[in-house]
Amino acid sequence: MKKYFYLLMVTAALTSCKKKTPTPEPAPQPVPAEVFELNKSTGIPASKFSVHFREDFVDNRNAWTLQAPSPNYSHTVGITDGFYTFTNPVVNTINGTTDKISFDQTKDWEIETKVNNESKSFAFWWNSALGRQSSRILFGTNRMDLVDANNEFNGGYIVLGKNVEILTQNTLKIRRVKDRYYIFLNGNLVYEGQYIFHRGQNIGYYSFEKGKMQVDYLQISYINL
């Protein structure tokens, strides 16, 4: 009997000394690639943007065009109360520009600006060189025109008379990713298509209807996808 118990104890001891077979680690799963919805206004997370420039029109450090009333003109252009303000008592084209804002247009970027206009019309241009026409977007009477200024001085319409809804307060986004543009008005995609190659750094606005137009802000961000 003692011999039997001894054998049991030896067997138990040997069993406890055996190495347990390790549980295999689960194979690492591939990290899915991030998917970006470039044709949606909010399709890129905020973490992918880095703000390069922001203008809130608290002063004129960026040398925007200003114009006071004169005997020949009744309209005014000025920076007042945090707005770039265009006052147009009659139907007349007035504009304001600056060439003091520089950014790398070979990168992916997004321009965002908010424009308030009681006449529901405004125009914005960018990448213009001195003495040349600008690439520009015009909104008026619920229509949109997009002009590519690369066609020398005459310009060339990419979009002409597209039906879009324009409000009295409008947020415009122009997004450039690789070789394509995505343009949004109030969160809605109004254009997706070819990239307009840049010619210069001139940026500006103009008003072409009777009433007051106010630019609230302008922001330029790089997109890091």
Side-chain angles (χ1 to χ4, degrees):
M1 180 64 72
K2 287 182 180 180
K3 186 177 180 180
Y4 173 73
F5 280 116
Y6 175 77
L7 289 172
L8 283 178
M9 291 174 66
V10 170
T11 302
L14 290 173
T15 303
S16 65
C17 290
K18 286 183 179 178
K19 291 184 178 180
K20 294 183 180 180
T21 304
T23 305
E25 293 289 332
Q29 298 297 313
V31 178
E34 291 184 278
V35 177
F36 306 107
E37 296 179 287
L38 302 179
N39 61 353
K40 290 189 177 179
S41 178
T42 57
I44 301 175
S47 61
K48 299 298 181 181
F49 291 88
S50 57
V51 176
H52 170 70
F53 171 84
R54 183 171 175 98
E55 171 70 271
D56 287 302
F57 300 106
V58 295
D59 53 37
N60 197 24
R61 69 186 66 185
N62 291 305
W64 292 91
T65 304
L66 303 179
Q67 188 172 38
S70 71
N72 298 321
Y73 300 97
S74 56
H75 59 259
T76 60
V77 181
I79 292 178
T80 55
D81 302 322
F83 293 98
Y84 192 24
T85 301
F86 300 70
T87 304
N88 216 354
V90 295
V91 177
N92 189 15
T93 299
I94 53 176
N95 61 61
T97 71
T98 181
D99 58 4
K100 302 300 183 184
I101 303 169
S102 178
F103 70 105
D104 186 349
Q105 295 192 38
T106 66
K107 294 184 177 181
D108 294 340
W109 49 260
E110 183 173 278
I111 297 172
E112 180 178 330
T113 187
K114 183 177 180 183
V115 181
N116 307 326
N117 197 339
E118 55 198 32
S119 70
K120 297 185 178 181
S121 64
F122 70 96
F124 176 77
W125 73 77
W126 72 102
N127 80 21
S128 168
L130 209 60
R132 291 186 178 270
Q133 293 233 4
S134 55
S135 301
R136 57 196 183 279
I137 307 175
L138 299 90
F139 296 100
T141 320
N142 288 324
R143 61 171 280 167
M144 165 188 160
D145 298 338
L146 174 60
V147 179
D148 180 354
N150 289 328
N151 294 335
E152 293 307 323
F153 290 94
N154 294 325
Y157 285 98
I158 298 174
V159 175
L160 178 61
K162 180 176 181 178
N163 185 37
V164 297
E165 183 181 9
I166 303 168
L167 308 176
T168 54
Q169 297 185 1
N170 299 277
T171 300
L172 172 67
K173 288 184 182 180
I174 305 170
R175 176 180 297 165
R176 186 264 186 176
V177 177
K178 301 197 183 304
D179 59 350
R180 293 186 74 76
Y181 269 139
Y182 304 86
I183 299 176
F184 306 91
L185 183 66
N186 301 320
N188 300 312
L189 181 71
V190 294
Y191 175 76
E192 176 183 346
Q194 70 185 63
Y195 171 60
I196 301 173
F197 294 96
H198 73 278
R199 277 187 159 156
Q201 297 287 353
N202 190 266
I203 291 177
Y205 302 82
Y206 67 87
S207 169
F208 48 88
E209 296 287 351
K210 179 180 179 180
K212 179 185 286 188
M213 184 179 88
Q214 292 186 309
V215 182
D216 191 341
Y217 65 84
L218 169 69
Q219 180 169 293
I220 301 171
S221 302
Y222 292 127
I223 304 172
N224 309 299
L225 298 183

